[in-house]
Amino acid sequence: MKPTDNSDTAMTDGGSQSKVEEFSFETTSSDTEVTTKERLQDFYAEFIYKPGLVAWDDPRTRIGGLILFVYILIGTVGTWLYPAPTSNQVPRNLVPFQNWNAPLGSTQRGVDVLAMAIHATPPMLIMIAAGGIFATVIALAIGTLAGYSGGTVDTVLTSFSDIAMTIPGLPLIMVLAAVFHPDSPILIGLLITINYWAGLARSIRSQVLTLREESYVEASRTMGMSTPRILFKDVIPNLMPFVLVNFANAARYVVFTSVGLAYLGILPTSVPNWGVDLNNAYKQAGALVGTSALYQLIVPMIMIMGIALSLILLAQGLDRLFNPRVRTRLAGESTTLEESEDSTEVLQ
């Protein structure tokens, strides 16, 4: 009887133990799923939701975003609805609001001024995006690697950035434009920001020098995480507000530089540009001499001022992301909201 009891007891204990282990495994799996979900929620709240609240809370961000959205509509829907500019498409030398086939007037060659402004918008937007993305990505890569790696890597990359900063930007762009004759908005955008990234790379390096000493970065290194994973998980997400602000500044730099070079005749006239419109108004219509053709200057100037204003407002609004008081206030509000929701659930 005793052996039978012991065997039964052993079987019972083993069965219960296997059930406990199975239950423990299932509980661990669910805990892992919950932890992953919580990490995604924390990432969304920390790097998307809260920065979005900070930016949207500023009216400058809303106004700048609305203006930029209008330009995107002009560059997409507008070019499809409005005919492309050609010679003799309307009567020559029309003043604004004289003929509704050319509501903002026409040039001495019979080209609709509004059509010139609208169809120059898509190349300008492509140029702005290409130059801004190029400068930001290069600066982010070099600044992050230099600041986090240190040692020889930091010395080499920092020296490379310093050399790029010492080269005068405008003369370099003029020489490269004269040599290569870029006829693509993307190439022009890359050309304009050929060494603009250097100053931003130095700023990002300074930010990374501080971030790499933070406790959560040290914890990731202690856990044996690889350097790329640490950079993409812990370092770069904390740099994104700063990167967004400098992207807006780089885009504004592309606008002013491209228009100035096109006005001077350095960039090819085959690529539509508001600077080319200014050049034509000055050289062909003599808009700076008299007032009869002044509208040919005003229309492209309004387009330039509008896109620049939107980028400036966005940069100023996004700059609030660096204000620790605003971030702390929003973090406190979100924490209070979570506590109130938890207390409501407990009461229910």
Side-chain angles (χ1 to χ4, degrees), residues 324-346:
R325 295 180 180 178
V326 179
R327 294 294 298 273
T328 303
R329 175 175 61 81
L330 287 177
E333 290 178 356
S334 61
T335 303
T336 305
L337 181 59
E338 290 177 358
E339 292 177 352
S340 63
E341 289 177 352
D342 293 338
S343 61
T344 303
E345 292 178 357
V346 170

Side-chain angles (χ1 to χ4, degrees), residues 122-138 169 172-173 176-177 180-197 247 249-259 261-262 267-268 271-273:
M124 291 296 300
L125 293 177
I126 295 173
M127 196 183 305
I128 292 168
I133 293 173
F134 171 77
T136 304
V137 170
I138 295 297
L172 176 63
I173 296 171
L176 293 177
F180 295 105
H181 300 285
D183 56 356
S184 168
I186 297 177
L187 294 178
I188 295 174
L190 300 181
L191 180 67
I192 291 174
T193 55
I194 190 68
N195 68 335
Y196 181 82
W197 56 266
F247 172 79
N249 290 329
R252 186 166 55 92
Y253 173 79
V254 172
V255 173
F256 291 145
T257 305
S258 63
V259 168
L261 293 175
L267 293 179
V271 180
N273 190 302

Side-chain angles (χ1 to χ4, degrees), residues 113-335:
V113 174
L114 180 59
M116 294 169 60
I118 290 176
H119 285 268
T121 303
M124 291 296 300
L125 293 177
I126 295 173
M127 196 183 305
I128 292 168
I133 293 173
F134 171 77
T136 304
V137 170
I138 295 297
L140 182 62
I142 292 179
T144 303
L145 289 176
Y148 186 81
S149 301
T152 305
V153 176
D154 184 18
T155 303
V156 172
L157 293 178
T158 303
S159 300
F160 180 61
S161 300
D162 292 339
I163 293 172
M165 289 177 64
T166 59
I167 302 175
L170 187 59
L172 176 63
I173 296 171
M174 295 172 66
V175 171
L176 293 177
V179 172
F180 295 105
H181 300 285
D183 56 356
S184 168
I186 297 177
L187 294 178
I188 295 174
L190 300 181
L191 180 67
I192 291 174
T193 55
I194 190 68
N195 68 335
Y196 181 82
W197 56 266
L200 177 56
R202 295 281 300 191
S203 301
I204 291 177
R205 173 184 174 273
S206 301
Q207 298 282 335
V208 175
L209 288 175
T210 303
L211 289 174
R212 73 176 183 179
E213 304 299 331
E214 294 291 339
S215 58
Y216 56 88
V217 179
E218 291 287 349
S220 298
R221 280 198 293 262
T222 304
M223 294 170 59
M225 296 177 62
S226 62
T227 298
R229 182 173 175 81
I230 294 175
L231 292 178
F232 284 101
K233 177 179 177 293
D234 296 326
V235 177
I236 293 179
N238 288 281
L239 294 172
M240 291 312 296
F242 180 75
V243 170
L244 289 175
V245 172
N246 283 275
F247 172 79
N249 290 329
R252 186 166 55 92
Y253 173 79
V254 172
V255 173
F256 291 145
T257 305
S258 63
V259 168
L261 293 175
Y263 176 76
L264 295 175
I266 297 173
L267 293 179
T269 58
S270 59
V271 180
N273 190 302
W274 297 319
V276 175
D277 298 343
L278 292 175
N279 183 287
N280 293 333
Y282 167 63
K283 290 186 176 181
Q284 299 180 11
L288 295 179
V289 178
T291 59
S292 59
L294 192 61
Y295 62 92
Q296 298 185 32
L297 279 177
I298 294 176
V299 173
M301 284 177 62
I302 291 175
M303 299 295 291
I304 297 167
M305 291 169 59
I307 191 70
L309 177 63
S310 69
L311 295 173
I312 291 173
L313 291 176
L314 284 175
Q316 291 177 347
L318 293 176
D319 189 55
R320 297 186 68 223
L321 296 175
F322 288 104
N323 189 339
R325 295 180 180 178
V326 179
R327 294 294 298 273
T328 303
R329 175 175 61 81
L330 287 177
E333 290 178 356
S334 61
T335 303

Side-chain angles (χ1 to χ4, degrees), residues 15-188:
S16 62
Q17 185 177 359
S18 63
K19 290 181 180 179
V20 171
E21 290 177 354
E22 183 179 358
F23 176 78
S24 172
F25 177 76
E26 292 178 355
T27 304
T28 304
S29 300
S30 62
D31 289 343
T32 303
E33 292 178 359
V34 170
T35 302
T36 304
K37 183 178 180 181
E38 287 177 349
R39 286 181 179 178
L40 293 175
Q41 290 176 346
D42 292 341
F43 179 84
Y44 170 78
E46 186 67 23
F47 301 112
I48 298 177
Y49 179 69
K50 291 178 184 177
L53 283 181
V54 175
W56 191 253
D57 186 60
D58 194 327
R60 293 174 296 183
T61 307
R62 296 195 293 268
I63 296 174
L66 179 60
I67 296 174
L68 185 60
F69 179 71
V70 171
Y71 274 85
I72 294 174
L73 286 180
I74 292 174
T76 54
V77 180
T79 55
W80 179 65
L81 294 177
Y82 208 85
T86 56
S87 298
N88 299 317
Q89 66 180 144
V90 293
R92 301 183 179 187
N93 297 321
L94 291 175
V95 297
F97 313 116
Q98 180 181 357
N99 189 327
W100 289 107
N101 291 324
L104 297 183
S106 64
T107 66
Q108 69 283 355
R109 295 186 295 111
V111 182
D112 185 0
V113 174
L114 180 59
M116 294 169 60
I118 290 176
H119 285 268
T121 303
M124 291 296 300
L125 293 177
I126 295 173
M127 196 183 305
I128 292 168
I133 293 173
F134 171 77
T136 304
V137 170
I138 295 297
L140 182 62
I142 292 179
T144 303
L145 289 176
Y148 186 81
S149 301
T152 305
V153 176
D154 184 18
T155 303
V156 172
L157 293 178
T158 303
S159 300
F160 180 61
S161 300
D162 292 339
I163 293 172
M165 289 177 64
T166 59
I167 302 175
L170 187 59
L172 176 63
I173 296 171
M174 295 172 66
V175 171
L176 293 177
V179 172
F180 295 105
H181 300 285
D183 56 356
S184 168
I186 297 177
L187 294 178
I188 295 174

